[in-house]
C-alpha cells in the first residue's frame, strides 16, 4: 500500500462516523483509529449538521426538551420580510429571545412572531406562503 | 399641556400684543420673539407690528405644532415629525422594538423614500402632498385580536375623510380606503407578538391628499386617486391627521368599553366589499365567490359557487361586476 492510498483512506474516513478501520492487503496490515472528539475538532463548520440529524431522530425525552413555537393567530405564514429577502431564520441557526422568527399575515396585518427563548432552530415546520391555523406548530427550538 | 404660543395666536382673530403673550406664558418678551421666529421658520406666516403685536396669517398645511395643540387626550402622548424617512412604519418598529417609545407615539413624515406596502411593495410617497404616519400602541390585547386594530383604524380614517372632504369614502376588505372605486389610502399594521400577548403594534396610514393624478406612476394612475383629484380642493394635512386621531381615540374607547361588536357593525356599514361578487388572490391561487360577511376577528367569509363558506384571512380582493 502506497502512502498516497493511506492518505486518501484517512481523508475518506474523516467524512464518516467510523472510528476504527482495519485493512489487510498483500501482507500489509493497516489499522486506523481515531477518537470521537476528533470529528468535532476537525470539522467545526459542520457542527450544526450533526445536531440537527441527532435531534430529528429524537427520543421522547428530547421532544420534551424542545420548544414548539405555535401560531397565535389564523393567517398566512411567511419566513422572510418580503419575497426577495432571505428567511428570518434557518434550521441549525442560533436565535436569541425576542428575535423575529417569521411573519403571519392576517387581514394585511403583519404579525412578527418572536422567539420566547435563546436556542437553536431545529426545524421549520411550515412552508413559506402556507395558511396556518391558531395553535399550529411553526418551529422546533432547542433551548440553550 | 401648558398653554402654547400657537394656541394664543390662533385664539385671537386680530393682533395679540407681545406683552399679553409674555404674561400668559410667563416668559420674557425676548423669549416670545424667539418663539415667533421658530414658528416662522416652520412655515407659519406671522406678521408683527410694533404697536399692535403679532398676528397669525397662515399656517403650513402640515405641522407638528398644529397637531399637538389639537390632539391632547389620554391616548396620544407624543408626536415625532420627520422631513424625510425611509418609512414611518420602519422607524416606528425599530424604536418600539427597543422599548423606549411610549404607547401613543405618532410618527409623521413629509416624505418617505421607501414607503412600505404589503409584503415589500412600495407606497408612493412624494414630499409636500400626502399623509404618511405610523401610530405606536401597546394595547393589552391578545395577538388574535390585533386585526381589530386594522378594523378600528379603517373606520377612523373613513369617517375622518368623509367628514372633512364630503367624499363617500368606503372600506375595501380588509383595509383599503376607496372612493369612486379607486384607492385613496391604505393601512399597514405591523405587530410584534410573544405567544400570549402583543408587545407592540405599529399602524401605518398612507393617504393621498393633494397629489394630482398626473403625478402618480403610470401603472397605478387608473387605480389610485387623491382628495384633490376627487374634490378639486387642497386640504390641510394637519386638519386631516387631527380628525383621524380624534376618531381613532373615540373608537378605541368604544372598543375598550364595549368590545369588538360595535366596531364590526360600523365596519360593515362602511364596507364596499360585503354583498358583492369578488375574486380574492391568495398567493398564486385565486378564489371567487360572494362576500357574505366578516367574522368576529374581521376575516372575510366568502360563499363559494358550491354554496360552501370559506374564511379568508389574507389576500387581494377585486370586486367583480
Amino acid at each position: 500500500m502506497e502512502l498516497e492510498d493511506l492518505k486518501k483512506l484517512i481523508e475518506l474516513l474523516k467524512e464518516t462516523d467510523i472510528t476504527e478501520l482495519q485493512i489487510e492487503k498483500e501482507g500489509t496490515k493497516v489499522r486506523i483509529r481515531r477518537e470521537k472528539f476528533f470529528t468535532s475538532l476537525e470539522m467545526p463548520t459542520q457542527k450544526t449538521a450533526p445536531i440537527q440529524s441527532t435531534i430529528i431522530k429524537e427520543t421522547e425525552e428530547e421532544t420534551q426538551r424542545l420548544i414548539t413555537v405555535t401560531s397565535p393567530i389564523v393567517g398566512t405564514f411567511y419566513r422572510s420580510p418580503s419575497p426577495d429577502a432571505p428567511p428570518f431564520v434557518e434550521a441549525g441557526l442560533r436565535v436569541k429571545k425576542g428575535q423575529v422568527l417569521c411573519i403571519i399575515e392576517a387581514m394585511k396585518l403583519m404579525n412578527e412572531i418572536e422567539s420566547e427563548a435563546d436556542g437553536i432552530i431545529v426545524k421549520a415546520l411550515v412552508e413559506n406562503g402556507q395558511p396556518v391555523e391558531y395553535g399550529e406548530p411553526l418551529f422546533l427550538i432547542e433551548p440553550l | 399641556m401648558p398653554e402654547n404660543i400657537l394656541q394664543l395666536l390662533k385664539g385671537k382673530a386680530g393682533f395679540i400684543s407681545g406683552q399679553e403673550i409674555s404674561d400668559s406664558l410667563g416668559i420674557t418678551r425676548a423669549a416670545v420673539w424667539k418663539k415667533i421666529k421658530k414658528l416662522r421658520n416652520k412655515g407659519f406666516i406671522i406678521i408683527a407690528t410694533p404697536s399692535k403685536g403679532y398676528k397669525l396669517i397662515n399656517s403650513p398645511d402640515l405641522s407638528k405644532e398644529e397637531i399637538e395643540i389639537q390632539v391632547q387626550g389620554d391616548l396620544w402622548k407624543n408626536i415625532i415629525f420627520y422631513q424625510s424617512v425611509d418609512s414611518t412604519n420602519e422607524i416606528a418598529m425599530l424604536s418600539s422594538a427597543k422599548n423606549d417609545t411610549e404607547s401613543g407615539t405618532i410618527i409623521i413624515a413629509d416624505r418617505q423614500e421607501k414607503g412600505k406596502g404589503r409584503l415589500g411593495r412600495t407606497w408612493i410617497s412624494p414630499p409636500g402632498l400626502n399623509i404618511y404616519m405610523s401610530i405606536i400602541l401597546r394595547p393589552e390585547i391578545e395577538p388574535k385580536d390585533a386585526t381589530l386594530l386594522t378594523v378600528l383604524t379603517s373606520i377612523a380614517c373613513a369617517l375622518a375623510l368623509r367628514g372633512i372632504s364630503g367624499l363617500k369614502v368606503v372600506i375595501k376588505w380588509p383595509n383599503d380606503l376607496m372612493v369612486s372605486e379607486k384607492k385613496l389610502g391604505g393601512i399597514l399594521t405591523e405587530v410584534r407578538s410573544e405567544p400570549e400577548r402583543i408587545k407592540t403594534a405599529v399602524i401605518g396610514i398612507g393617504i393621498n391628499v393633494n397629489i394630482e393624478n398626473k403625478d402618480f406612476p403610470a401603472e397605478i394612475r387608473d387605480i389610485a386617486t387623491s382628495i384633490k383629484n376627487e374634490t378639486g380642493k387642497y386640504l390641510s394635512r394637519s386638519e386631516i391627521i387631527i380628525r383621524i386621531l380624534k376618531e381613532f381615540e373615540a373608537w378605541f374607547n368604544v372598543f375598550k368599553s364595549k368590545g369588538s361588536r360595535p366596531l364590526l357593525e360600523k365596519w360593515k356599514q362602511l364596507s364596499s366589499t360585503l354583498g358583492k361578487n369578488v375574486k380574492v388572490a391568495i398567493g398564486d391561487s385565486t378564489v371567487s365567490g360572494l362576500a357574505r360577511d366578516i367574522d368576529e376577528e374581521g376575516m372575510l367569509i366568502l360563499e363559494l359557487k358550491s354554496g360552501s363558506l370559506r374564511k379568508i384571512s389574507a389576500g387581494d380582493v377585486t370586486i367583480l361586476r
Side-chain angles (χ1 to χ4, degrees), chain A residues 39-53:
Chain A
T39 328
S40 56
L41 281 177
E42 276 298 293
M43 303 185 290
T45 50
Q46 290 185 22
K47 203 174 174 180
T48 51
I51 290 169
Q52 197 189 342
S53 55

Side-chain angles (χ1 to χ4, degrees), chain A residues 72-76 78 82-83 98 100 105-114 116, chain B residues 93 118-119 143-144 146-147 174-175 189-193 195 199 297-298 313-314 316:
Chain A
I73 59 169
V74 177
T76 307
Y78 295 106
S82 67
V100 176
E105 178 191 11
M107 292 179 60
K108 300 199 183 181
L109 177 143
M110 301 296 163
N111 202 324
E112 296 185 347
I113 310 300
E114 286 188 356
E116 52 186 302
Chain B
M93 282 302 273
R118 181 176 158 259
L119 289 181
K144 72 174 178 58
T147 47
N175 56 357
T189 311
E190 295 183 78
V191 168
R192 272 275 194 130
S193 292
K199 268 177 80 174
E297 284 159 28
S313 67
D316 288 322

Side-chain angles (χ1 to χ4, degrees), chain A residues 99-129:
Chain A
Q99 188 174 333
V100 176
L101 302 174
C102 63
I103 287 177
I104 296 170
E105 178 191 11
M107 292 179 60
K108 300 199 183 181
L109 177 143
M110 301 296 163
N111 202 324
E112 296 185 347
I113 310 300
E114 286 188 356
S115 178
E116 52 186 302
D118 291 348
I120 292 171
I121 302 285
V122 175
K123 204 174 180 195
L125 302 167
V126 181
E127 292 288 318
N128 190 53

Side-chain angles (χ1 to χ4, degrees), chain B residues 277-278 287-290 302-310 320:
Chain B
N277 279 308
V278 297
V287 49
S288 303
L290 176 68
L302 211 60
E303 185 183 317
L304 306 179
K305 273 221 176 79
S306 62
S308 63
L309 299 179
R310 178 162 167 190
L320 304 170

